[in-house]
Short mmCIF file of all heavy atoms in Angstrom, two decimals:
data_model
loop_
_atom_site.label_atom_id
_atom_site.label_comp_id
_atom_site.label_asym_id
_atom_site.label_seq_id
_atom_site.Cartn_x
_atom_site.Cartn_y
_atom_site.Cartn_z
N GLY A 1 -4.77 17.03 0.73
CA GLY A 1 -5.99 16.74 1.48
C GLY A 1 -6.88 15.70 0.83
O GLY A 1 -7.83 15.19 1.45
N GLY A 2 -6.55 15.43 -0.42
CA GLY A 2 -7.39 14.45 -1.21
C GLY A 2 -7.11 13.04 -0.90
O GLY A 2 -6.18 12.70 -0.03
N SER A 3 -7.71 12.14 -1.67
CA SER A 3 -7.53 10.72 -1.52
C SER A 3 -7.38 9.99 -2.82
O SER A 3 -7.79 10.50 -3.86
CB SER A 3 -8.83 10.20 -0.87
OG SER A 3 -9.05 10.71 0.42
N LEU A 4 -6.66 8.85 -2.75
CA LEU A 4 -6.54 7.99 -3.91
C LEU A 4 -6.54 6.56 -3.39
O LEU A 4 -6.13 6.34 -2.19
CB LEU A 4 -5.15 8.17 -4.56
CG LEU A 4 -5.02 9.38 -5.53
CD1 LEU A 4 -3.59 9.48 -6.03
CD2 LEU A 4 -5.95 9.33 -6.72
N ARG A 5 -6.96 5.66 -4.21
CA ARG A 5 -6.89 4.20 -3.85
C ARG A 5 -5.98 3.54 -4.92
O ARG A 5 -6.37 3.49 -6.07
CB ARG A 5 -8.25 3.57 -3.73
CG ARG A 5 -8.12 2.13 -3.21
CD ARG A 5 -9.46 1.48 -2.95
NE ARG A 5 -10.03 0.94 -4.20
CZ ARG A 5 -10.91 -0.01 -4.23
NH1 ARG A 5 -11.33 -0.58 -3.13
NH2 ARG A 5 -11.44 -0.46 -5.42
N LEU A 6 -4.93 2.92 -4.44
CA LEU A 6 -4.09 2.13 -5.35
C LEU A 6 -4.52 0.65 -5.32
O LEU A 6 -4.94 0.18 -4.24
CB LEU A 6 -2.62 2.25 -4.92
CG LEU A 6 -2.08 3.70 -4.78
CD1 LEU A 6 -0.58 3.62 -4.52
CD2 LEU A 6 -2.36 4.53 -6.06
N SER A 7 -4.33 -0.01 -6.39
CA SER A 7 -4.56 -1.43 -6.53
C SER A 7 -3.34 -2.14 -6.95
O SER A 7 -2.49 -1.63 -7.65
CB SER A 7 -5.72 -1.69 -7.41
OG SER A 7 -6.89 -1.15 -7.06
N CYS A 8 -3.24 -3.37 -6.51
CA CYS A 8 -2.08 -4.19 -6.84
C CYS A 8 -2.62 -5.61 -7.17
O CYS A 8 -3.30 -6.29 -6.34
CB CYS A 8 -1.18 -4.31 -5.62
SG CYS A 8 0.18 -5.51 -5.79
N ALA A 9 -2.33 -6.02 -8.40
CA ALA A 9 -2.79 -7.35 -8.85
C ALA A 9 -1.63 -8.15 -9.44
O ALA A 9 -0.70 -7.56 -10.01
CB ALA A 9 -3.90 -7.15 -9.95
N PRO A 10 -1.65 -9.44 -9.23
CA PRO A 10 -0.51 -10.25 -9.69
C PRO A 10 -0.57 -10.67 -11.13
O PRO A 10 -1.62 -10.60 -11.75
CB PRO A 10 -0.60 -11.46 -8.79
CG PRO A 10 -2.14 -11.71 -8.67
CD PRO A 10 -2.66 -10.25 -8.56
N SER A 11 0.58 -11.02 -11.65
CA SER A 11 0.75 -11.54 -13.03
C SER A 11 1.43 -12.92 -12.84
O SER A 11 2.63 -13.00 -12.54
CB SER A 11 1.51 -10.63 -13.92
OG SER A 11 1.73 -11.25 -15.15
N GLY A 12 0.73 -14.02 -13.06
CA GLY A 12 1.29 -15.31 -13.05
C GLY A 12 1.32 -16.09 -11.75
O GLY A 12 1.82 -17.16 -11.64
N PHE A 13 0.70 -15.54 -10.72
CA PHE A 13 0.64 -16.29 -9.48
C PHE A 13 -0.62 -15.78 -8.63
O PHE A 13 -1.21 -14.79 -8.99
CB PHE A 13 1.94 -16.23 -8.68
CG PHE A 13 2.23 -14.83 -8.12
CD1 PHE A 13 2.10 -14.60 -6.73
CD2 PHE A 13 2.74 -13.88 -8.93
CE1 PHE A 13 2.37 -13.40 -6.25
CE2 PHE A 13 3.02 -12.53 -8.45
CZ PHE A 13 2.85 -12.34 -7.11
N THR A 14 -0.76 -16.46 -7.53
CA THR A 14 -1.87 -16.10 -6.63
C THR A 14 -1.32 -15.42 -5.40
O THR A 14 -0.42 -15.89 -4.80
CB THR A 14 -2.67 -17.34 -6.20
OG1 THR A 14 -3.23 -18.03 -7.37
CG2 THR A 14 -3.82 -17.03 -5.29
N LEU A 15 -1.95 -14.31 -5.04
CA LEU A 15 -1.45 -13.48 -4.00
C LEU A 15 -1.71 -14.08 -2.59
O LEU A 15 -1.04 -13.74 -1.60
CB LEU A 15 -2.04 -12.08 -4.03
CG LEU A 15 -1.62 -11.10 -5.01
CD1 LEU A 15 -2.42 -9.80 -4.87
CD2 LEU A 15 -0.10 -10.88 -5.02
N GLU A 16 -2.72 -14.93 -2.46
CA GLU A 16 -3.28 -15.16 -1.11
C GLU A 16 -2.26 -15.78 -0.18
O GLU A 16 -2.51 -15.79 1.02
CB GLU A 16 -4.54 -16.00 -1.30
CG GLU A 16 -4.28 -17.44 -1.75
CD GLU A 16 -5.55 -18.25 -1.82
OE1 GLU A 16 -6.25 -18.23 -0.74
OE2 GLU A 16 -5.89 -18.88 -2.77
N TYR A 17 -1.19 -16.41 -0.63
CA TYR A 17 -0.28 -17.06 0.22
C TYR A 17 0.91 -16.17 0.69
O TYR A 17 1.70 -16.66 1.49
CB TYR A 17 0.29 -18.32 -0.41
CG TYR A 17 -0.78 -19.26 -0.88
CD1 TYR A 17 -0.96 -19.45 -2.25
CD2 TYR A 17 -1.57 -19.91 -0.03
CE1 TYR A 17 -1.95 -20.36 -2.73
CE2 TYR A 17 -2.61 -20.79 -0.44
CZ TYR A 17 -2.79 -20.98 -1.82
OH TYR A 17 -3.75 -21.75 -2.24
N TYR A 18 0.91 -14.96 0.23
CA TYR A 18 2.00 -13.99 0.47
C TYR A 18 1.63 -12.75 1.19
O TYR A 18 0.50 -12.21 0.82
CB TYR A 18 2.66 -13.70 -0.86
CG TYR A 18 3.20 -14.84 -1.61
CD1 TYR A 18 2.37 -15.48 -2.61
CD2 TYR A 18 4.44 -15.31 -1.44
CE1 TYR A 18 2.80 -16.53 -3.27
CE2 TYR A 18 4.92 -16.43 -2.17
CZ TYR A 18 4.14 -17.04 -3.06
OH TYR A 18 4.56 -18.12 -3.74
N ALA A 19 2.48 -12.33 2.10
CA ALA A 19 2.31 -10.91 2.52
C ALA A 19 2.64 -10.02 1.42
O ALA A 19 3.50 -10.34 0.56
CB ALA A 19 3.30 -10.69 3.68
N ILE A 20 1.89 -8.95 1.39
CA ILE A 20 2.10 -7.92 0.28
C ILE A 20 2.50 -6.58 0.96
O ILE A 20 1.85 -6.15 1.91
CB ILE A 20 0.82 -7.76 -0.54
CG1 ILE A 20 0.44 -9.10 -1.13
CG2 ILE A 20 1.08 -6.70 -1.56
CD1 ILE A 20 1.43 -9.64 -2.12
N GLY A 21 3.52 -5.97 0.38
CA GLY A 21 3.96 -4.69 0.86
C GLY A 21 3.80 -3.55 -0.12
O GLY A 21 3.79 -3.86 -1.40
N TRP A 22 3.60 -2.39 0.33
CA TRP A 22 3.60 -1.17 -0.46
C TRP A 22 4.88 -0.41 -0.22
O TRP A 22 5.16 -0.23 1.01
CB TRP A 22 2.36 -0.30 -0.24
CG TRP A 22 1.11 -0.84 -0.94
CD1 TRP A 22 0.15 -1.66 -0.48
CD2 TRP A 22 0.79 -0.63 -2.38
NE1 TRP A 22 -0.86 -1.85 -1.46
CE2 TRP A 22 -0.46 -1.31 -2.63
CE3 TRP A 22 1.41 0.03 -3.43
CZ2 TRP A 22 -1.11 -1.28 -3.80
CZ3 TRP A 22 0.76 0.08 -4.67
CH2 TRP A 22 -0.44 -0.61 -4.85
N PHE A 23 5.49 0.14 -1.18
CA PHE A 23 6.71 0.89 -1.02
C PHE A 23 6.54 2.18 -1.83
O PHE A 23 5.65 2.27 -2.77
CB PHE A 23 7.89 0.13 -1.52
CG PHE A 23 8.14 -1.16 -0.74
CD1 PHE A 23 7.44 -2.28 -0.95
CD2 PHE A 23 9.23 -1.14 0.26
CE1 PHE A 23 7.71 -3.45 -0.22
CE2 PHE A 23 9.46 -2.30 0.89
CZ PHE A 23 8.73 -3.50 0.74
N ARG A 24 7.31 3.10 -1.57
CA ARG A 24 7.41 4.35 -2.42
C ARG A 24 8.80 4.85 -2.54
O ARG A 24 9.63 4.61 -1.70
CB ARG A 24 6.44 5.46 -1.87
CG ARG A 24 6.86 6.04 -0.56
CD ARG A 24 5.74 7.00 -0.09
NE ARG A 24 6.14 7.57 1.21
CZ ARG A 24 5.31 8.35 1.89
NH1 ARG A 24 4.05 8.60 1.44
NH2 ARG A 24 5.76 8.90 3.01
N GLN A 25 9.00 5.53 -3.66
CA GLN A 25 10.34 6.01 -3.98
C GLN A 25 10.29 7.28 -4.66
O GLN A 25 9.57 7.45 -5.64
CB GLN A 25 11.16 4.92 -4.72
CG GLN A 25 12.58 5.30 -4.86
CD GLN A 25 13.41 4.10 -5.38
OE1 GLN A 25 12.95 3.22 -6.06
NE2 GLN A 25 14.73 4.03 -5.10
N VAL A 26 11.13 8.17 -4.22
CA VAL A 26 11.40 9.48 -4.89
C VAL A 26 12.83 9.42 -5.50
O VAL A 26 13.68 8.85 -4.89
CB VAL A 26 11.33 10.66 -3.81
CG1 VAL A 26 11.63 11.94 -4.50
CG2 VAL A 26 9.90 10.69 -3.20
N PRO A 27 12.95 9.97 -6.68
CA PRO A 27 14.30 9.96 -7.36
C PRO A 27 15.33 10.48 -6.40
O PRO A 27 15.19 11.46 -5.76
CB PRO A 27 14.05 10.86 -8.56
CG PRO A 27 12.61 10.71 -8.87
CD PRO A 27 11.94 10.59 -7.59
N GLY A 28 16.41 9.68 -6.33
CA GLY A 28 17.53 10.11 -5.46
C GLY A 28 17.43 9.65 -4.11
O GLY A 28 18.45 9.84 -3.33
N LYS A 29 16.36 8.95 -3.68
CA LYS A 29 16.20 8.50 -2.40
C LYS A 29 15.90 6.95 -2.32
O LYS A 29 15.52 6.43 -3.36
CB LYS A 29 15.07 9.20 -1.69
CG LYS A 29 15.29 10.74 -1.42
CD LYS A 29 14.26 11.30 -0.59
CE LYS A 29 14.51 12.82 -0.28
NZ LYS A 29 13.57 13.45 0.62
N GLU A 30 16.16 6.41 -1.14
CA GLU A 30 15.90 5.00 -0.97
C GLU A 30 14.44 4.63 -1.04
O GLU A 30 13.59 5.49 -0.76
CB GLU A 30 16.54 4.48 0.36
CG GLU A 30 18.05 4.44 0.38
CD GLU A 30 18.61 3.73 1.54
OE1 GLU A 30 17.82 3.25 2.35
OE2 GLU A 30 19.82 3.76 1.72
N ARG A 31 14.15 3.44 -1.46
CA ARG A 31 12.78 2.92 -1.43
C ARG A 31 12.31 2.83 -0.01
O ARG A 31 12.97 2.22 0.83
CB ARG A 31 12.69 1.62 -2.26
CG ARG A 31 11.27 1.24 -2.52
CD ARG A 31 11.27 0.06 -3.55
NE ARG A 31 11.75 0.57 -4.83
CZ ARG A 31 11.69 -0.11 -5.98
NH1 ARG A 31 11.15 -1.39 -5.97
NH2 ARG A 31 12.10 0.37 -7.13
N GLU A 32 11.14 3.34 0.28
CA GLU A 32 10.63 3.39 1.63
C GLU A 32 9.41 2.38 1.77
O GLU A 32 8.49 2.45 0.99
CB GLU A 32 10.09 4.76 2.02
CG GLU A 32 9.45 4.88 3.36
CD GLU A 32 8.76 6.19 3.63
OE1 GLU A 32 8.53 6.98 2.64
OE2 GLU A 32 8.33 6.46 4.80
N GLY A 33 9.54 1.42 2.67
CA GLY A 33 8.42 0.54 3.03
C GLY A 33 7.36 1.23 3.78
O GLY A 33 7.65 1.70 4.84
N ILE A 34 6.13 1.33 3.25
CA ILE A 34 5.17 2.14 4.00
C ILE A 34 3.95 1.31 4.58
O ILE A 34 3.36 1.71 5.52
CB ILE A 34 4.56 3.19 3.10
CG1 ILE A 34 3.96 2.63 1.80
CG2 ILE A 34 5.61 4.23 2.74
CD1 ILE A 34 3.18 3.67 0.98
N SER A 35 3.75 0.06 4.09
CA SER A 35 2.67 -0.70 4.65
C SER A 35 2.88 -2.18 4.19
O SER A 35 3.43 -2.49 3.13
CB SER A 35 1.30 -0.19 4.14
OG SER A 35 0.21 -0.85 4.85
N CYS A 36 2.26 -3.03 4.98
CA CYS A 36 2.33 -4.46 4.65
C CYS A 36 1.03 -5.10 5.26
O CYS A 36 0.56 -4.76 6.27
CB CYS A 36 3.58 -5.05 5.34
SG CYS A 36 3.80 -6.89 5.05
N VAL A 37 0.56 -6.10 4.50
CA VAL A 37 -0.61 -6.86 4.98
C VAL A 37 -0.21 -8.36 4.94
O VAL A 37 0.36 -8.82 3.96
CB VAL A 37 -1.86 -6.58 4.16
CG1 VAL A 37 -1.69 -6.92 2.63
CG2 VAL A 37 -3.05 -7.25 4.72
N SER A 38 -0.62 -9.09 5.97
CA SER A 38 -0.32 -10.49 6.06
C SER A 38 -1.13 -11.31 5.04
O SER A 38 -2.11 -10.72 4.46
CB SER A 38 -0.62 -11.00 7.46
OG SER A 38 -2.03 -10.91 7.70
N PRO A 39 -0.77 -12.53 4.78
CA PRO A 39 -1.51 -13.31 3.77
C PRO A 39 -2.94 -13.42 4.04
O PRO A 39 -3.74 -13.34 3.07
CB PRO A 39 -0.87 -14.72 3.93
CG PRO A 39 0.59 -14.50 4.32
CD PRO A 39 0.42 -13.28 5.27
N SER A 40 -3.38 -13.52 5.20
CA SER A 40 -4.85 -13.65 5.51
C SER A 40 -5.54 -12.24 5.55
O SER A 40 -6.76 -12.18 5.50
CB SER A 40 -5.09 -14.28 6.93
OG SER A 40 -4.64 -13.43 8.01
N GLY A 41 -4.72 -11.23 5.68
CA GLY A 41 -5.29 -9.92 5.86
C GLY A 41 -5.52 -9.49 7.27
O GLY A 41 -5.92 -8.40 7.58
N GLY A 42 -5.20 -10.46 8.23
CA GLY A 42 -5.51 -10.19 9.61
C GLY A 42 -4.58 -9.30 10.32
O GLY A 42 -4.84 -8.85 11.44
N SER A 43 -3.39 -9.08 9.76
CA SER A 43 -2.38 -8.20 10.35
C SER A 43 -1.79 -7.25 9.36
O SER A 43 -1.57 -7.54 8.21
CB SER A 43 -1.31 -9.12 10.85
OG SER A 43 -0.15 -8.37 11.37
N THR A 44 -1.63 -5.97 9.80
CA THR A 44 -1.08 -4.92 8.96
C THR A 44 -0.05 -4.15 9.70
O THR A 44 -0.12 -4.08 10.96
CB THR A 44 -2.21 -3.96 8.53
OG1 THR A 44 -2.86 -3.40 9.70
CG2 THR A 44 -3.29 -4.68 7.66
#
């Protein structure tokens, strides 16, 4: 029932030109794509 906020920052490049995805993985299972935001932020 609680909340967390994750952050994602780049190393060596600028994020603004790229869509960014969040994924999650549990040991023994495939990586799951859970969210994506377009380069402008206008589409999720």
Side-chain angles (χ1 to χ4, degrees):
S3 298
L4 283 174
R5 188 176 80 157
L6 306 183
S7 298
C8 172
S11 174
F13 69 104
T14 301
L15 285 179
E16 67 176 311
Y17 304 114
Y18 300 91
I20 302 297
W22 279 99
F23 298 79
R24 65 186 182 186
Q25 190 168 23
V26 175
K29 294 189 176 181
E30 289 189 2
R31 191 165 293 190
E32 176 190 14
I34 57 173
S35 188
C36 180
V37 61
S38 64
S40 70
S43 176
T44 57

